[in-house]
Amino acid sequence: MPTKKSTPDANRLDRIVAEARRAGAAREKGYREQALKLYPWVCGRCARDFTHANLQLLEVHHRDSNHDNNPPDGSNWELLCTYCHEAEHRKYLDNAGRGGDHAGGEKDSPATYRPFEKLGALLTPKPDNPDKS
Ligand SMILES: [Zn+2]
Ligand SMILES: [Zn+2]
């Protein structure tokens, strides 16, 4: 009987998960940086332009909805502002809900664009805000 307290398998799994997470983040950072180098910092939908100050609102959209398809020539990328990007994804969701023959839909993990939803809410004035004072 081995006297080791921790199971090597669990440690290995931890490491694999950590590595996969790091690789995913690095890949995402990689294609974003590449796309920002390739394309002008302008939203492909509303033509709003971006600077270093608000660049975090400019996101990389995958034209074919496949986040694993990252050709170095950038042909699968489109820069969209966070609002247009969200609208674009809603379109996919709507289509998927209605038709059902749009196989898969976009594989965006919510974590990649959800944080900006809050930001959008902060920047958008609330339409109904009854003043009770
Ligand atoms: Zn836009
Ligand atoms: Zn997208």
Side-chain angles (χ1 to χ4, degrees):
M1 261 318 250
T3 48
K4 280 180 190 168
K5 261 187 268 171
S6 60
T7 54
D9 275 346
N11 287 340
R12 213 172 123 249
L13 192 68
D14 275 358
R15 206 158 47 231
I16 288 168
V17 169
E19 254 156 44
R21 224 176 256 155
R22 206 162 38 229
R27 186 191 60 180
E28 192 175 311
K29 193 163 173 276
Y31 71 61
R32 182 176 153 86
E33 266 168 19
Q34 282 179 67
L36 289 175
K37 260 181 227 161
L38 270 169
Y39 292 111
W41 295 356
V42 173
C43 173
R45 292 287 181 280
C46 69
R48 181 177 163 187
D49 57 356
F50 289 82
T51 65
H52 279 286
N54 56 1
L55 194 60
Q56 76 276 9
L57 293 175
L58 192 60
E59 298 172 0
V60 180
H61 177 61
H62 290 76
R63 291 175 191 271
D64 74 349
S65 305
N66 181 2
H67 285 204
D68 294 319
N69 183 12
N70 294 300
D73 67 353
S75 55
N76 192 37
W77 300 326
E78 193 173 19
L79 294 179
L80 298 179
C81 78
T82 186
Y83 308 107
C84 295
H85 194 191
E86 211 187 298
E88 192 69 15
H89 280 244
R90 248 185 232 139
K91 211 161 74 190
Y92 279 111
L93 289 177
D94 285 353
N95 283 342
R98 263 201 306 270
D101 57 359
H102 281 259
E106 192 147 356
K107 290 193 296 179
D108 244 345
S109 80
T112 56
Y113 65 98
R114 264 219 123 103
F116 297 116
E117 264 175 30
K118 245 184 211 158
L119 221 152
L122 284 174
L123 296 175
T124 314
K126 280 176 192 155
D128 51 343
N129 191 11
D131 195 0
K132 279 185 202 161
S133 61

